[in-house]
């Protein structure tokens, strides 16, 4: 299509010269026919140019950022930010709120009482200078074209398109000023990209656009057939992340370290093995745990969730348990439904849930599949949660955590 034609339609839609109907026709055409990689890159550029583009004062290592395409029980940012900062790489991320069935990082951060996320970029840079990391709410001046187009995509059923998702995600990353990016493309029943093939295509397109724009970038394709961590819902996801920083072994830890290690390798120009070793050392030494406390305090948040007693008190308020109805193996978990039910439970006064099983877990009749905390859950909520799990007699192979890495 070329840049002038793409600019005409995107800028025209923002200024009102191009109608909703014409933009919808364009979005539908892209959904049906795709875009060449070159046009997807140009569309991304045009979207970035619709708003402000940040840049930071150069430091010893470039600013880094990560992005997840959206998963259930995914609090990796709360582990990655302090691990990367502990390795000396500045980390500044702009995050969003809950989207669909997945929780947003901003909602999680706000579980630390008093924590501010509506922070100016100048203040965020000062926090990064002092502490090494900051996670703040997305600035409204960045990529207004994405805001307008995403709203229309949502209304017209044109969200699921590789070039539209890639240009939406990457335009926000490019505008937010970092130089190093690792993208976590979720794959499976609980993700936008249900198959490894689709996930690979999206990851490759996003990495290519970032690289063509002069950035260092890589992507991991990670599993979303099961919730990533055990905690589902704001405060439970925060507790999960804090426990990982205290040394708990889990898939959340493994994925967070894989992403953090890759970020450190790209930012410092060291090998993947060296990046991974530095990330693991930052976590295992307890340095990253202290760093998260510093980051939370610098953003005005209370530190009670780091106190074991406070966490034990939250976990003492059991609100219900969903149990396995037979012996067997977990064959499938409906993560989309589980995510929506967790949001409903939180909205009705619950703190969140713990889901101790994954696809492939062996269970005995009566074992807990979900533990709920906070306000007592209603019977129909427990029933709906139970329906999210399918249990079969024959052994089920667990899914890999990372299907592949794209560089
Ligand atoms: N997340 C985004 O930011 N944009 C999309 O199009 C899909 C997911």
């Amino acid at each position: 299509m070329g840049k002038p034609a793409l600019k005409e339609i995107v800028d025209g839609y923002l200024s009102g010269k191009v109608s909703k109907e014409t933009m919808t026709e364009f979005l539908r055409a892209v959904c049906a026919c795709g875009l060449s990689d070159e046009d997807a890159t140009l569309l991304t550029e045009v979207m970035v140019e619709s708003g402000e583009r940040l840049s930071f004062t150069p430091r010893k290592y470039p600013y880094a950022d990560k992005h997840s395409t959206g998963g259930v029980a995914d609090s990796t940012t709360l582990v990655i930010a302090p691990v990367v900062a502990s390795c000396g790489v500045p980390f500044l991320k702009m995050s969003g709120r809950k989207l669909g069935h997945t929780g947003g990082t901003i909602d999680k951060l706000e579980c630390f009482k008093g924590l501010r996320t509506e922070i100016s970029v100048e203040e965020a840079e000062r926090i990064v200078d002092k502490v090494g990391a900051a996670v703040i709410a997305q600035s409204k001046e960045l990529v207004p074209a994405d805001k307008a187009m995403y709203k229309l995509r949502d209304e017209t059923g044109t969200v699921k398109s590789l070039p539209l998702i890639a240009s939406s995600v990457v335009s926000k990353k490019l505008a937010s000023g970092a130089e190093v990016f690792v993208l976590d493309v979720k794959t499976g029943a609980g993700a936008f990209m249900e198959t490894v093939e689709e996930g690979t295509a999206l990851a490759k397109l996003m990495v290519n656009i970032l690289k063509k724009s002069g950035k260092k970038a890589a992507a991991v394709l990670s599993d979303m057939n099961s919730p990533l961590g055990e905690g589902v819902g704001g405060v439970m996801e925060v507790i999960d992340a804090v426990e990982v920083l205290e040394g708990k072994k889990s898939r959340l830890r493994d994925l967070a370290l894989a992403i953090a290690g890759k970020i450190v390798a790209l930012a410092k120009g060291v090998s993947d093995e060296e990046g991974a070793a530095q990330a693991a050392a930052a976590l295992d030494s307890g340095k990253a745990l202290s760093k998260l406390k510093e980051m939370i305090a610098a953003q005005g948040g209370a530190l009670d969730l780091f106190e074991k007693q406070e966490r034990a008190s939250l976990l003492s308020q059991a609100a219900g348990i969903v149990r396995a109805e037979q012996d067997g193996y977990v064959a499938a978990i409906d993560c989309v439904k589980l995510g929506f039910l967790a949001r409903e439970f939180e909205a009705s006064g619950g703190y969140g849930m713990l889901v101790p099983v994954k696809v492939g877990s062996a269970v005995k009749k009566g074992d807990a599949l979900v533990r709920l905390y906070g306000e007592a859950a209603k019977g129909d909520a427990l029933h709906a949660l139970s329906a999210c799990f399918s249990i079969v007699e024959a052994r089920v192979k667990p899914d890999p955590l990372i299907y592949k890495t794209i560089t």
Side-chain angles (χ1 to χ4, degrees), residues 32-329:
C33 310
L35 277 183
S36 66
D37 285 6
E38 199 182 327
D39 278 341
T41 308
L42 293 172
L43 176 62
T44 310
E45 265 177 36
V46 166
M47 289 169 70
V48 173
E49 287 163 13
S50 72
E52 196 187 343
R53 189 172 186 152
L54 304 176
S55 61
F56 304 118
T57 312
R59 295 167 45 116
K60 182 172 178 199
Y61 297 117
Y63 272 73
D65 190 359
K66 55 85 60 176
H67 179 83
S68 152
T69 56
V72 175
D74 179 4
S75 50
T76 48
T77 297
L78 296 184
V79 179
I80 294 168
V83 166
V84 167
S86 299
C87 296
V89 175
F91 186 92
L92 203 169
K93 176 168 172 53
M94 293 195 183
S95 283
R97 292 194 177 276
K98 292 185 174 88
L99 189 67
H101 63 289
T102 64
T105 303
I106 293 302
D107 305 287
K108 288 170 220 185
L109 280 170
E110 285 174 353
C111 295
F112 294 99
K113 284 181 215 113
L115 184 136
R116 294 176 304 117
T117 55
E118 297 292 333
I119 288 176
S120 69
V121 174
E122 293 71 29
E123 186 182 349
E125 221 186 326
R126 282 198 294 277
I127 294 175
V128 175
D129 267 333
K130 191 165 150 239
V131 174
V135 180
I136 64 173
Q138 178 91 43
S139 150
K140 292 183 182 60
E141 282 76 43
L142 296 192
V143 203
D146 178 59
K147 212 163 173 221
M149 286 166 69
Y150 195 90
K151 185 164 179 281
L152 188 60
R153 286 168 61 204
D154 205 22
E155 285 166 17
T156 56
T158 52
V159 169
K160 208 176 160 185
S161 142
L162 290 191
L164 293 180
I165 296 175
S167 55
S168 164
V169 169
V170 176
S171 60
K172 286 176 284 202
K173 294 287 114 186
L174 288 175
S176 64
E179 297 293 325
V180 172
F181 299 91
V182 176
L183 310 172
D184 177 11
V185 177
K186 304 287 187 193
T187 307
F192 265 126
M193 298 294 127
E194 290 186 26
T195 65
V196 172
E197 290 68 32
E198 281 179 316
T200 305
L202 178 63
K204 279 190 174 160
L205 181 56
M206 294 199 290
V207 167
N208 278 343
I209 300 176
L210 283 163
K211 283 188 168 172
K212 277 190 198 153
S213 308
K215 308 297 174 190
K216 290 184 178 172
V220 295
L221 226 69
S222 73
D223 176 61
M224 195 30 68
N225 285 314
S226 301
L228 174 61
E230 283 189 20
V232 183
V235 78
M236 303 315 257
E237 296 186 29
V238 171
I239 292 175
D240 225 0
V242 170
E243 286 179 353
V244 163
L245 289 168
E246 287 173 342
K248 185 170 86 174
K249 305 279 188 280
S250 68
R251 283 170 39 119
L252 174 62
R253 169 195 160 99
D254 295 345
L255 183 60
L257 278 182
I259 296 171
K262 192 77 200 166
I263 292 176
V264 172
L266 289 174
K268 290 189 165 179
V270 298
S271 67
D272 284 350
E273 292 71 27
E274 176 60 23
Q278 288 191 20
L283 197 155
D284 292 335
S285 63
K287 221 168 145 184
L289 177 64
S290 308
K291 191 56 83 186
L292 182 66
K293 286 186 194 166
E294 284 176 47
M295 184 188 108
I296 299 300
Q299 294 190 213
L303 299 181
D304 3 351
L305 287 174
F306 291 95
E307 303 293 334
K308 288 205 165 88
Q309 243 177 324
E310 174 70 18
R311 276 153 25 202
S313 136
L314 289 172
L315 293 175
S316 69
Q317 298 181 46
I321 300 184
V322 176
R323 296 185 187 280
E325 286 167 10
Q326 64 179 86
D327 289 1
Y329 295 86

